[in-house]
Amino acid sequence: MQAYVYPAIFALFVWWFSTGAIIFLDNLPRKTFKYSMIGATVVSLSCLYGLKVTATQTSLLSAYAAFFFGLFAWGWQEISFYMGYVTGTRNEPCPEGCSGWKHFGHAIETSLYHEFAIIISACAIFILTRHEPNQIGMWTFMVLWWMHQSAKLNVFFGVRNLNEEFLPEHLTFLKSFLKSKPMNLFFPVSITVSMVIATMLFERAAGATSAFARSGDTFLGTMMALAILEHWFLVIPLPAGKLWKWGLASRKPSKAFDVEIVAGFLGAGKTTFMTRRLDALGTLPGKTVVLVNDFATVGVDGSLLNNQGASVVELPNGCICCSLRDDLSRQLEDTVTRFAPDRVLIEPSGVADIASLIGVMQRPALLPFVRKLKIITIIDAGAFLADYAKLPAHFAAQAKLASTLVINKADVVSTAERLAVAETLRRLNPAVTIVTARYGHIDPEPLPQPRMALVRDNAAHDYADHECDEHCSHDDAHRNHHTHEHHEHHHNHAASELGFTSWNTELQAHCSAEALQAVLDGIVGGKFGAIARVKGLAKSGNGWLHFDVAGGRASMTAFAASSDERARVVAIGKTIHEAELAAAFLACDVKLAA
């Protein structure tokens, strides 16, 4: 048994360690790349020489050596590509709307020279070892080539886990050639081929008569088994990237950045406000990155914020809260390192724990780089009185942590109700700046201030003029956080505490706008349960519709969808009659409606 176990463990360790080492080198500062490339070239040439020497030997030691030389000869291919030395003729994203064979051709252009380098290296290894008894190194290189090509095609055709966090900043344009979907038709083919080859190799190892042949076939069989495992990691929702998280230790934020958290309850208008905010920031120099988090497993907000002049990173499936602190911290570190932004905008879900989010910003890995922290909380003027009556503690916590409170949808309530909302918020946080907005656009006139309100003179007017750019300093956020630290320790997972659940589905058909409106009206009327929020995208005629239910009101607007957009709907509420709701959306099909 040891004759099989030791080679398998050796292959597994060398593969895992060398992959992490390459990730580590690729994420060092670019000024180190030339030294890494020189070192990798020396190692690769040494491995080619080692393959030539061991090709004539058939001892157990020569089997281990040949496998090692073949694997490290492949390492040069990975380092040269991910450091940007040997890539292709294209170093920019695929044009908007590009698809089909043209899209595939652009993808080939991104790594054309890399593929030629692999072919040249494979030919060199074949020539150095041909007609010799020890072919383990040559076949190790070929197996790694198969793993590379198969994985590359799968992420192009579409898989669930793209592991984009491992892409260095200078290769982020490759994201336009990656597709996120549960699975593709090539996946079962690649898995089947790998399984057949792995089975044949392990059978050969079982029937081998010498330690050399037995270990050699075990090496290759183990690599094919790892290829199978690596492929399943692409489609199964497992955090496989953590296997090489240590390789990202070399990735550090390169400069300080500003952070804006746009919080608010379900349907308050956070995404609309973020769209306005991005328009305003588009006139400023520097790079903006947006982190979007959705309570449901299927996100919609990321699609609505795309094409707004900023890079959008989605954090789906769960609110930003205590249970996701480590994941959020890692995602933030990866994002600011990869994009080197001047500012980061974060839109958490409507049931997020903002105190925990502030805590993430104060972690040692991020705190030195967070130049300024603003917390902008959006309030739905029309729904506030009813929502506050049900969830006073939640709204009190959000108001106390906010640097600025934006009373959105101010046009749907009377002046008296708007002032009542403002006064309630002032009593929760006397020092906060309060402004009003319509469709996420800040009103130019300041909100009337009662004489006893403890606010800065002209603060609201200053905020409206500067569109949130100059207020709510990092120190303000620190002050608010420490003042309410007790609250953070007494509140656990915000979503479960508030009693919300989510439901989502994809919409396959083209929807009738009239039928879709009827479904939304039914949701508002309570026909499908106690649903607080609905948002979705649907095909309609030759275009798309963005529809939502928020604050007890339904709306539909036109939407400019990307070529790979998916029609889908998300519902969030206390109780959701899922079967009835699914049937209602299915009935929106144009043919069924007719």
Side-chain angles (χ1 to χ4, degrees):
M1 181 61 68
Q2 292 179 349
Y4 302 104
V5 174
Y6 289 161
I9 293 176
F10 181 79
L12 178 61
F13 175 77
V14 174
W15 168 76
W16 169 80
F17 179 79
S18 60
T19 301
I22 290 172
I23 293 172
F24 184 89
L25 293 174
D26 287 340
N27 285 283
L28 286 171
R30 296 197 69 174
K31 62 184 180 181
T32 67
F33 283 10
K34 59 182 177 182
Y35 304 110
S36 297
M37 194 64 197
I38 291 172
T41 302
V42 172
V43 169
S44 182
L45 292 174
S46 301
C47 289
L48 292 177
Y49 177 76
L51 287 171
K52 179 175 176 61
V53 171
T54 57
T56 60
Q57 303 170 6
T58 57
S59 65
L60 181 60
L61 180 60
S62 67
Y64 276 80
F67 171 77
F68 182 88
F69 292 147
L71 192 146
F72 271 71
W74 173 263
W76 185 91
Q77 311 295 332
E78 297 291 285
I79 287 178
S80 65
F81 178 76
Y82 286 106
M83 288 188 177
Y85 286 104
V86 184
T87 54
T89 58
R90 186 180 189 86
N91 58 1
E92 57 185 20
C94 197
E96 186 71 26
C98 181
S99 60
W101 286 108
K102 189 175 182 180
H103 183 53
F104 185 71
H106 287 156
I108 292 175
E109 290 174 358
T110 62
S111 60
L112 188 61
Y113 301 147
H114 175 56
E115 301 300 337
F116 284 152
I118 294 175
I119 294 172
I120 293 170
S121 297
C123 291
I125 293 173
F126 173 77
I127 292 170
L128 290 171
T129 61
R130 65 175 177 170
H131 306 314
E132 300 295 350
N134 189 346
Q135 297 289 306
I136 296 173
M138 191 271 290
W139 284 113
T140 298
F141 190 92
M142 295 300 179
V143 168
L144 288 163
W145 191 2
W146 159 253
M147 293 172 67
H148 163 79
Q149 294 292 358
S150 180
K152 188 175 178 180
L153 287 171
N154 271 290
V155 297
F156 175 81
F157 292 134
V159 290
R160 185 188 302 274
N161 304 318
L162 298 172
N163 294 321
E164 297 172 333
E165 67 269 23
F166 293 110
L167 279 176
E169 182 186 354
H170 56 277
L171 293 181
T172 52
F173 70 90
L174 292 176
K175 290 172 60 177
S176 65
F177 298 97
L178 310 181
K179 181 178 291 188
S180 178
K181 60 188 295 188
M183 193 182 290
N184 64 80
L185 295 177
F186 178 69
F187 180 83
V189 175
S190 56
I191 284 289
T192 302
V193 171
S194 297
M195 290 182 66
V196 169
I197 297 174
T199 302
M200 293 172 60
L201 288 168
F202 283 130
E203 286 181 349
R204 278 170 52 99
T209 57
S210 68
F212 167 79
R214 190 181 305 116
S215 60
D217 288 331
T218 302
F219 284 138
L220 298 176
T222 302
M223 293 305 296
M224 288 306 304
L226 289 173
I228 297 169
L229 182 64
E230 194 177 58
H231 278 62
W232 280 115
F233 281 160
L234 294 175
V235 298
I236 297 178
L238 292 174
K242 290 186 177 180
L243 288 171
W244 295 282
K245 184 179 179 181
W246 60 272
L248 293 175
S250 60
R251 181 182 284 184
K252 299 294 181 185
S254 56
K255 62 180 180 181
F257 52 91
D258 297 338
V259 177
E260 293 183 15
I261 300 172
V262 180
F265 194 56
L266 299 167
K270 297 186 297 296
T271 305
T272 302
F273 179 85
M274 287 277 279
T275 302
R276 305 284 191 192
R277 189 76 185 104
L278 289 173
D279 286 342
L281 292 174
T283 61
L284 300 178
K287 184 184 295 183
T288 301
V289 171
V290 179
L291 287 179
V292 181
N293 172 244
D294 232 315
F295 175 54
T297 56
V298 174
V300 173
D301 293 344
S303 294
L304 302 179
L305 290 171
N306 272 319
N307 303 319
Q308 296 294 323
S311 300
V312 178
V313 179
E314 293 191 72
L315 301 172
N317 193 18
C319 63
I320 294 176
C321 56
C322 300
S323 62
L324 289 183
R325 280 186 186 179
D326 290 336
D327 289 342
L328 175 63
S329 180
R330 175 188 55 78
Q331 182 70 68
L332 269 171
E333 291 178 45
D334 293 346
T335 298
V336 299
T337 302
R338 184 191 312 168
F339 295 102
D342 295 275
R343 63 196 69 86
V344 176
L345 272 62
I346 303 176
E347 182 192 341
S349 74
V351 290
D353 184 347
I354 305 304
S356 292
L357 182 52
I358 295 171
V360 169
M361 299 299 166
Q362 295 179 326
R363 289 195 167 188
L366 289 171
L367 186 59
F369 299 97
V370 178
R371 185 170 52 215
K372 185 188 296 183
L373 176 60
K374 307 175 186 177
I375 298 126
I376 304 165
T377 299
I378 313 299
I379 301 295
D380 184 340
F384 179 77
L385 297 182
D387 288 342
Y388 183 77
K390 299 173 186 175
L391 303 166
H394 175 77
F395 282 92
Q398 287 208 338
K400 290 173 182 178
L401 290 169
S403 307
T404 300
L405 289 167
V406 179
I407 302 176
N408 194 30
K409 308 179 187 179
D411 53 315
V412 304
V413 297
S414 65
T415 301
E417 186 172 343
R418 186 164 67 250
L419 291 175
V421 172
E423 182 61 20
T424 304
L425 297 172
R426 263 192 209 97
R427 293 188 180 189
L428 294 172
N429 186 353
V432 74
T433 298
I434 301 178
V435 296
T436 57
R438 304 160 196 266
Y439 295 99
H441 182 72
I442 302 296
D443 289 336
E445 295 298 323
L447 190 72
Q449 310 285 349
R451 284 179 294 177
M452 297 301 294
L454 302 177
V455 295
R456 290 175 303 195
D457 293 338
N458 299 320
H461 187 64
D462 290 343
Y463 177 87
D465 286 345
H466 290 86
E467 287 284 324
C468 317
D469 280 333
E470 299 300 327
H471 297 301
C472 325
S473 69
H474 194 177
D475 292 337
D476 292 336
H478 275 271
R479 182 187 67 241
N480 285 337
H481 174 61
H482 289 303
T483 302
H484 305 285
E485 189 172 12
H486 180 73
H487 164 80
E488 181 181 356
H489 289 297
H490 281 269
H491 290 263
N492 297 319
H493 191 295
S496 60
E497 191 173 87
L498 298 177
F500 285 101
T501 185
S502 69
W503 168 89
N504 64 79
T505 188
E506 292 198 10
L507 303 176
Q508 302 296 336
H510 283 254
C511 289
S512 159
E514 292 77 9
L516 185 58
Q517 184 64 55
V519 175
L520 299 181
D521 292 340
I523 293 171
V524 171
K527 181 178 179 181
F528 303 102
I531 299 176
R533 184 78 167 101
V534 172
K535 47 190 171 182
L537 303 171
K539 300 175 184 175
S540 183
N542 294 323
W544 286 72
L545 287 172
H546 166 226
F547 60 89
D548 68 28
V549 172
R553 295 180 296 278
S555 66
M556 289 192 298
T557 57
F559 177 68
S562 61
S563 59
D564 59 348
E565 194 62 79
R566 294 175 295 114
R568 58 202 186 275
V569 59
V570 175
I572 303 171
K574 299 273 189 175
T575 58
I576 303 174
H577 302 159
E578 298 182 3
E580 293 88 341
L581 191 58
F585 277 109
L586 179 62
C588 290
D589 184 300
V590 172
K591 295 179 182 177
L592 295 177

